[in-house]
Amino acid sequence: MQRVIYTQDQQEIKLEMASPANVASFFVFAIPKSGSVLQDNVMEDICQYLEIPAISIAKTAFKEGIEEGRFSEDICELFVEQGYCYYGFRYFPPYLNNFDIKGFKKILLVRDPRDILVSHYFSMKKSHPLPQGAMGDQLAQLRQKLSEVDIDSYVLENAERFADIFRAYARIEDENLKLFRYEDIIFAKHQWISEILTFLDLEIEDFDIAEIAKRHDIFPDQENFDSHIRKVTPGDYKEKLKPATIKILNELLEDVLIKYRYELT
């Protein structure tokens, strides 16, 4: 079934929605550059295996070159209690501000914000795909600008913006939230997938979990600045940033680092 959704300025987007499955609906959130693409791919495999319709407003909008923030609260009519996986979120979207999400199970994937900032710099500069329309034009302009911006300047300029993305997720912190850290799951994907399934009260045979984990257990032989999977090893910021930059980041991000158990070093 196809649903038509509209932006606040009435731009039309078509969204595919299959019939609901016999499961409780759930949401899957992440921070940009926290392994969000990996998580999306794993969730798509899980949902395909279990025949759960997986709906990503963010991915659908991106393909059309539309920012997710342009949707109003009307879009929340899509979020029902039974039958769907809602995934692909890279930040807590404003249209969910007044939506009662407490009763839904929620997954959140985070990563050391210092590594996120480093990864975002290289992604924006080199590897991030360009969407259509105005979004693509804006990213192309940013990419050109970044050719003249060094990494230390970039991470300091953007630290507060990413800290705010972390802080906004305080709105989903309740007994129905399962938090994962990139550092804990990147080398233990089988266990990660098993924990996702247990949390969501879903079942897949261990053999099939292993197959899904193996499919997404990708590690580059060496750092590749032109690839989306540039480098997966945690702590990359220590190699890429100046000590003085790290010191300032630790001060700017202190509340986030402490909350998610990252060392202030």
Side-chain angles (χ1 to χ4, degrees), residues 2 25 33 47 52 67 127 160 166 168-169 249:
Q2 198 172 71
S25 294
K33 309 310 297 178
C47 289
I52 300 171
E67 295 180 8
S127 63
E160 193 64 33
F166 275 89
Y169 276 127
L249 284 180

Side-chain angles (χ1 to χ4, degrees), residues 79-136:
F79 305 134
V80 295
E81 294 180 356
Q82 288 289 124
Y84 295 96
C85 164
Y86 304 112
Y87 76 112
F89 301 96
R90 301 296 194 272
Y91 60 92
F92 189 81
Y95 57 72
L96 285 177
N97 282 338
N98 296 314
F99 180 74
D100 186 5
I101 200 171
K102 185 176 177 61
F104 292 84
K105 287 191 175 181
K106 301 164 286 288
I107 289 170
L108 173 61
L109 179 63
V110 302
R111 184 184 186 184
D112 189 318
R114 296 161 296 191
D115 276 346
I116 284 177
L117 285 161
V118 168
S119 181
H120 196 263
Y121 173 77
F122 289 112
S123 177
M124 294 298 101
K125 188 174 182 179
K126 292 276 190 178
S127 63
H128 198 287
L130 296 176
Q132 301 180 37
M135 278 184 66

Side-chain angles (χ1 to χ4, degrees), residues 55-63 66 68 71 87-90 95:
I55 297 172
S56 176
I57 294 170
K59 290 182 72 172
T60 303
F62 183 82
K63 289 177 182 178
I66 295 173
E68 187 182 6
F71 294 103
Y87 76 112
F89 301 96
R90 301 296 194 272
Y95 57 72

Side-chain angles (χ1 to χ4, degrees), residues 31 38-39 41-42 61 75 79 124 127 172 196 205 219 246 256:
I31 308 289
L38 167 65
Q39 180 170 256
N41 292 340
V42 166
I75 202 170
F79 305 134
M124 294 298 101
S127 63
I172 66 172
I196 288 173
E205 293 291 335
F219 301 100
I246 295 173
V256 175

